[in-house]
Amino acid sequence: MSVIRTPGGLSVSYRPRALLVGAGCVVLAVVAAVLAIGSGEYPMAPDEVVRTLIGQGDPADAFIVNELRLPRTVTALLVGAGLGLCGAVFQAVVRNPLGSPDILGFTTGASAGALVVIVLAGGGSAFLAGGAVVGALVTGVLIYALAWKGGLHGFRLVLVGVGMTAILTGVNSYLITRADITDASRAVLWMTGTLDGRGWDDVLPLALGMAVLVPLVLLGCARALRMMEMGDDAAAALGVRVERTRLALLGAAVLLVALSAAAAGPVAFVALVAPQVARRLTKSPGPNLLPSLCMGAALLICADLVAQRAFGDHQLPVGVVTGVVGGGYLVWLLATERKAGRI
């Protein structure tokens, strides 16, 4: 670990390898974003995309880039960053590498809220986003209340979350059977996770939410979270208000899940994979919040690039790509843990 000291007596500690991994993820995300913006029926070379982004393109290119393609790319970057960060928080709080919102039921709760809007209310995209947010928040409150017993322990939270996922999966399946064919198709596409047709109105709520939640987690709670990984008793002895900090972290993580699902649907496995890959690359103890955030953004924009380009004229929802990659990673992780004798 390295330390930077300022003339005023302040010191900032950092891990060079973690900083390098984060910077590499940012570079990868930027390159993939430029390539994704240049993809489509009207292809553009990377230099043309860059010129247009800095305001030197012709009006036709500016319209295509700024109004049609850039919102989708920004949504992918923000959703990936939000999922990577909330996945790192969940895994640190429950002290389990499988502690992601996909497995704990929060994304399923967001899907349930959106399905209620689609099937029962027939609402538009704005109401769908609101339903996803409400569904994730209600699910979070229920899981927290059911898992609470003189405190919140990670193992109990995982068990309650898995049970809630099973219940909500059944509810979601029933809601789809109640919908007509048009609404059912729309619901299934949204539940897969998609970035198609995203505009600036989808970006704005997510950007505003992350502008508040990301500093709260990175600056306000990161130090306490590192101490909590040593155990509740040790953290409390060091002055950390454990339950209050845990509640704040879980609340912020659930809001990130809700806003991400509202913008792009419940994109699978990014929150599970990004923190694990970041930790393996940084080889650093602790939650690795910032590298996980950068890794999530890089993973999702790369997945969107694959979804747009890898299958010719047939574009896939981004959730299909993340599901295949994340599912493969999960199988590999379980095989590795079993080989090492840990499961």
Side-chain angles (χ1 to χ4, degrees):
M1 180 179 291
S2 301
V3 178
I4 298 177
R5 300 187 184 279
T6 65
L10 297 176
S11 62
V12 178
S13 60
Y14 68 97
R15 298 181 183 276
R17 186 183 179 96
L19 194 62
L20 183 62
V21 169
C25 290
V26 170
V27 172
L28 176 61
V30 170
V31 172
V34 170
L35 294 176
I37 292 173
S39 301
E41 295 182 0
Y42 181 75
M44 299 175 65
D47 59 320
E48 295 176 324
V49 173
V50 173
R51 283 200 305 269
T52 304
L53 288 174
I54 62 177
Q56 298 181 1
D58 60 56
D61 289 346
F63 175 77
I64 292 173
V65 169
N66 296 327
E67 300 300 326
L68 300 182
R69 297 179 180 176
L70 187 58
R72 173 178 179 147
T73 302
V74 174
T75 302
L77 292 171
L78 292 178
V79 168
L83 291 176
L85 180 59
C86 75
V89 170
F90 277 120
Q91 290 175 20
V93 168
V94 304
R95 300 170 196 162
N96 191 318
L98 298 180
S100 79
D102 307 300
I103 295 173
L104 296 180
F106 297 103
T107 53
T108 313
S111 299
L115 281 173
V116 169
V117 172
I118 293 174
V119 175
L120 301 182
S125 58
F127 291 101
L128 186 148
V133 171
V134 172
L137 292 177
V138 171
T139 302
V141 171
L142 288 174
I143 291 175
Y144 191 89
L146 292 172
W148 176 270
K149 185 179 180 182
L152 192 67
H153 300 283
F155 184 69
R156 190 160 58 241
L157 183 67
V158 171
L159 290 179
V160 172
V162 171
M164 187 64 68
T165 299
I167 294 172
L168 291 174
T169 299
V171 172
N172 292 347
S173 299
Y174 172 72
L175 287 173
I176 290 177
T177 63
R178 288 286 307 274
D180 60 47
I181 187 64
T182 302
D183 288 340
S185 299
R186 178 184 169 206
V188 170
L189 177 62
W190 185 88
M191 290 176 62
T192 303
T194 180
L195 293 165
D196 291 342
R198 294 302 176 262
W200 291 116
D201 55 337
D202 299 298
V203 174
L204 184 59
L206 177 60
L208 292 176
M210 291 189 67
V212 175
L213 296 171
V214 171
L216 172 65
V217 174
L218 294 182
L219 302 178
C221 300
R223 181 173 177 272
L225 183 58
R226 286 195 296 270
M227 293 180 182
M228 287 168 59
E229 288 198 324
M230 298 185 296
D232 290 355
D233 293 338
L238 293 171
V240 177
R241 296 183 176 181
V242 175
E243 290 303 331
R244 181 179 297 182
T245 302
R246 183 180 285 123
L247 180 60
L249 284 166
L250 288 175
V254 170
L255 282 172
L256 284 171
V257 172
L259 291 170
S260 299
V267 179
F269 285 116
V270 174
L272 173 69
V273 173
Q276 292 296 308
V277 174
R279 177 172 290 191
R280 291 176 184 275
L281 290 177
T282 61
K283 297 183 179 179
S284 299
N288 287 280
L289 297 178
L290 188 58
S292 298
L293 181 149
C294 298
M295 180 64 69
L299 285 177
L300 191 55
I301 191 62
C302 289
D304 189 41
L305 180 62
V306 171
Q308 292 186 64
R309 285 195 167 190
F311 303 94
D313 296 333
H314 301 284
Q315 293 190 13
L316 294 179
V318 69
V320 173
V321 178
T322 62
V324 171
V325 175
Y329 175 81
L330 180 59
V331 171
W332 175 84
L333 177 63
L334 293 174
T336 301
E337 294 292 305
R338 183 186 178 201
K339 188 175 180 180
R342 288 188 284 267
I343 60 173

